[in-house]
């Protein structure tokens, strides 16, 4: 803000501090890749999330070949022949007669690029009737890789949306409760405790049961967001309330009152900003909870319904040990959930380190 | 004679702690005539700040007005609804605090904090507000207003911060300013300059000032009338000249000796 005097704002100092943390920075990179993949899902994925082919049920990842009859060639894949062995188990064999070169910007199913203009080109793939599976196929022969990208749209955004809603609810309710105190405070805090008292997962199930089951996928998506944030706000509200109890005794709050500012303005402008550094990393650390919550709901079939993909409902296929044994790639969503959760936690921890007032002095030296 | 702008009658403030309640301000009466400076003098703990806060109805939790009334411009302050009271604060009565660093919010630049008052009490649009901020800052004697309005409180000196607070206090165009030890946190030369500023603003804006202080020297130079408070009671009151030259109460004598010594 004050370029000429060389002063850095508190957040600029924190940002510099944050950038020095390599682990957290790696986390940011990985998350941007994942989110980027989710945003560009229809372009990056070779197939649509519901493009199924029963002939390729649990097809393994297609191997890519670089040599054709001993000579270096443009990477290509072969067709696959399905047969059954003596135990009636599916066996996929390479069919050297069919030869499909890998192509960039290959023509495929039509979609709207970024939801704006229609487009048929996919980033890479093979021409029909060839089919290839980067990460194998699921039970209905749908491409796992494509479904992971589409599933990221649900799983990754649900965490953010849930966190944003819970964050605003928590700040506002905590702020009002701490600022006014008295009976209102008592009432709001008992309400918080009611939500915190019920074990989260059961509350999740109960609330989900209260939502009609004939909802379409968009409605289900939003009901999950609302349910998750409904559970999440209470913890933040309690802590913000505690901070407000102390902040409202500051003299600048008295000064603001003496100048006739409205209560809402005082809460939003003069009290809540001072709780931000805490609430930002609290929210960052709460995002994995929302992602896991969505996955858990979808895993047991209460969340996003087939054919729509989310990492959780893709995992419901992996609930049987036999399938994991013969098609281990169906566990790949679990790996992505794990990766996302770890990234958010690492970033949250790093944010706490650089926003924590106890470390301020160090932050200044770095800046 | 015109009725006084502000009139405190029989004001009693108590704190209800454990068991019996303690009286902080004991049945005091005080008039602040229009366009004058009235000083309320007393040592620490004599209840003078409590009087100031009870005029704005901003007493801290636990303190309450037990009896008495405050009449401001023919309005009974203890009977107006909260919303009206909020309008009065800043627009009719405003307060300048002792510690400007604590009374300014550290996370906003000072221009914004002056703008907030304009936003609440005037109908100026954004550009007019910016214009007005610069005028106000100029009026309180801040050099280079456009740069300082973008500074944060911790980047300014004590005197500048106090001037920013005064700019905030006059932004709503009030008729009465309660100045609660406005110079106690400043060094002596600055004290004199801030007091000059108050005198200047009083003339320019036709203000009345209720000056809460423990410094009789300042009272002698500025105030038209004075009330001496001790342990919650007003022990002596009258025209500044009369009180300082012929003090009746031993406590006033003590204060005077302290000033001369």
């Amino acid at each position: 803000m004050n370029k000429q005097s060389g002063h850095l704002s508190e957040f600029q100092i924190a940002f510099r501090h944050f950038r020095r943390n390599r682990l957290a920075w790696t986390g940011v990179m990985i998350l941007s890749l994942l989110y980027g993949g989710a945003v560009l899902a229809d372009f990056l994925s070779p197939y649509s999330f519901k493009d199924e082919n029963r002939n390729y049920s649990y097809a393994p990842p297609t191997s890519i070949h670089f040599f054709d009859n001993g000579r270096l060639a443009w990477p290509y894949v072969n067709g696959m022949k399905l047969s059954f062995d003596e135990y009636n188990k599916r066996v996929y064999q390479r069919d050297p007669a069919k030869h499909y070169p890998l192509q960039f910007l290959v023509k495929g199913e039509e979609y709207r690029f970024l939801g704006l203009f229609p487009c048929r080109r996919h980033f890479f793939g093979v021409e029909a009737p060839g089919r290839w599976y980067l990460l194998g196929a699921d039970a209905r022969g749908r491409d796992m890789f494509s479904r992971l990208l589409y599933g990221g749209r649900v799983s990754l955004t649900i965490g953010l949306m849930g966190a944003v809603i819970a964050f605003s609810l928590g700040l506002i309710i905590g702020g009002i409760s701490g600022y006014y105190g008295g009976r209102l405070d008592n009432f709001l805090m008992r309400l918080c405790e009611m939500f915190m008292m019920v074990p989260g997962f059961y509350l999740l199930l109960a609330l989900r049961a209260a939502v009609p089951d004939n909802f379409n996928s968009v409605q289900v998506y939003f009901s999950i967001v609302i349910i998750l944030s409904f559970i999440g706000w209470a913890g933040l509200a309690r802590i913000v309330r505690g901070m407000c109890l102390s902040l409202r005794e500051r003299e600048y709050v008295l000064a603001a009152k003496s100048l006739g500012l409205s209560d809402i303005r005082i809460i939003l402008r003069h009290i809540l900003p001072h709780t931000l550094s805490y609430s930002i990393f609290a929210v960052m650390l709460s995002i994995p909870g929302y992602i896991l919550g969505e996955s858990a709901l979808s895993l047991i079939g209460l969340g996003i319904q087939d054919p729509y993909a989310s990492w959780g409902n893709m995992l419901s296929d992996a609930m049987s040990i036999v399938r994991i044994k013969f098609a281990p790639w169906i566990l790949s969503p679990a790996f992505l959930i794990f990766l996302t959760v770890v990234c958010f936690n690492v970033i949250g921890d790093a944010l706490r380190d650089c926003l924590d007032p106890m470390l301020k002095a160090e932050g200044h030296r770095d800046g | 004679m015109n009725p006084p702008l502000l009139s405190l009658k029989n004001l009693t403030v108590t704190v209800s702690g454990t068991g019996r309640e303690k009286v902080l301000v004991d049945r005091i009466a005080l008039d602040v005539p229009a366009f004058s400076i009235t000083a309320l003098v007393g040592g620490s703990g004599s209840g003078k700040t409590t009087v100031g806060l009870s005029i704005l109805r901003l007493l801290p939790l636990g303190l309450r007005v037990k009896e008495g009334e405050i009449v401001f411009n023919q309005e009974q302050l203890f009977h107006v609804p909260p919303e009206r009271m909020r309008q009065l604060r800043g627009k009719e009565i405003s307060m300048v605090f002792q510690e400007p660093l604590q009374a300014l919010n550290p996370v906003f630049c000072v221009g914004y904090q002056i703008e907030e008052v304009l936003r609440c009490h005037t109908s100026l649009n954004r550009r007019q507000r910016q214009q007005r901020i610069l005028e106000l800052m100029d009026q309180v004697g801040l050099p280079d207003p456009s740069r300082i309005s973008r500074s944060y409180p911790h980047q300014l000196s004590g005197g500048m911060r106090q001037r920013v607070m005064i700019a905030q206090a006059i932004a709503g165009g009030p008729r009465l300013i309660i100045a609660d030890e406005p110079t106690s946190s400043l060094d002596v030369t600055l004290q004199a300059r801030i007091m000059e500023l108050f005198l200047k603003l009083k003339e320019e804006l036709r203000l009345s000032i209720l000056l809460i202080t423990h410094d009789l020297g300042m009272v002698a130079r500025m105030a038209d009338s004075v009330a001496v408070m001790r342990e919650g009671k007003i022990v002596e009151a009258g025209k500044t000249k009369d009180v300082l030259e012929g003090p009746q109460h031993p406590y006033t004598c003590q204060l005077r000796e302290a000033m001369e010594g």
Side-chain angles (χ1 to χ4, degrees), chain A residues 257-260, chain B residues 56 85-91 93 121:
Chain A
K257 281 187 202 163
S258 80
L259 291 166
Chain B
L56 286 170
M85 195 62 222
R86 192 175 72 68
Q87 284 171 6
L88 286 174
R89 291 180 200 136
K91 197 173 169 65
I93 311 174
H121 294 302

Side-chain angles (χ1 to χ4, degrees), chain A residues 179 247-248 250-258 266 270-271:
Chain A
Y179 179 76
L247 286 167
R248 71 168 183 187
R250 298 276 174 93
E251 198 162 298
Y252 54 75
V253 174
L254 182 65
K257 281 187 202 163
S258 80
I266 293 176
H270 292 273
I271 293 186

Side-chain angles (χ1 to χ4, degrees), chain A residues 281-303:
Chain A
F281 72 73
V283 161
M284 215 55 181
L285 289 174
S286 77
I287 291 177
Y290 296 101
I291 295 177
L292 291 175
E294 184 275 329
S295 302
L297 271 185
S298 298
L299 179 75
I300 56 177
L302 292 172

Side-chain angles (χ1 to χ4, degrees), chain A residues 89 317-331:
Chain A
K89 187 172 142 321
D317 227 12
M319 285 208 281
S320 137
I321 190 78
V322 184
R323 280 186 221 139
I324 296 180
K325 190 180 168 199
F326 290 114
W329 50 86
I330 58 177
L331 271 180

Side-chain angles (χ1 to χ4, degrees), chain A residues 7 252 259-260 269-270 274, chain B residues 86 102 105 108 116 121 155:
Chain A
H7 275 285
Y252 54 75
L259 291 166
R269 290 278 157 184
H270 292 273
H274 296 265
Chain B
R86 192 175 72 68
Q102 283 169 29
N105 191 330
F108 294 114
E116 274 194 318
H121 294 302
Q155 295 171 326

Side-chain angles (χ1 to χ4, degrees), chain B residues 215-220 244 253-261:
Chain B
D215 182 353
L216 270 192
M218 189 198 292
V219 172
L244 291 188
C253 299
Q254 277 178 28
L255 281 178
R256 225 180 69 133
E257 278 162 28
M259 173 185 115
E260 282 159 359

Side-chain angles (χ1 to χ4, degrees), chain A residues 50-166:
Chain A
K50 53 187 171 189
D51 185 356
E52 56 181 69
N53 189 331
R54 303 275 173 136
N55 288 333
Y56 293 100
S57 178
Y58 294 119
T62 318
S63 49
I64 301 170
H65 302 280
F66 296 93
F67 292 96
D68 191 10
N69 293 326
R71 274 188 306 171
L72 192 64
W74 182 255
Y76 68 95
V77 300
N78 284 128
M80 274 189 284
K81 264 196 307 212
L82 172 63
S83 59
F84 293 90
D85 67 4
E86 66 266 40
Y87 307 111
N88 263 349
K89 187 172 142 321
R90 287 158 182 269
V91 179
Y92 288 97
Q93 274 169 330
R94 191 174 155 196
D95 181 0
K98 290 178 186 157
H99 179 114
Y100 307 106
L102 281 180
Q103 288 175 330
F104 282 108
L105 298 179
V106 69
K107 265 194 179 176
E109 202 168 318
E110 188 171 304
Y111 62 93
R112 300 184 81 81
F113 186 69
L114 293 177
L116 296 175
F117 40 90
C119 180
R120 292 184 67 94
R121 301 277 173 186
H122 292 258
F123 183 54
F124 58 87
V126 297
E127 295 259 13
R131 242 178 127 75
W132 79 303
Y133 296 104
L134 190 61
L135 290 175
D138 69 359
R140 300 203 201 167
R142 294 175 297 201
D143 182 26
M144 284 299 275
F145 177 69
S146 308
R147 279 176 70 76
L148 282 178
L149 289 176
Y150 280 100
R153 288 186 164 176
V154 170
S155 298
L156 290 171
T157 53
I158 230 162
L160 284 189
M161 304 232 330
V164 166
I165 296 177

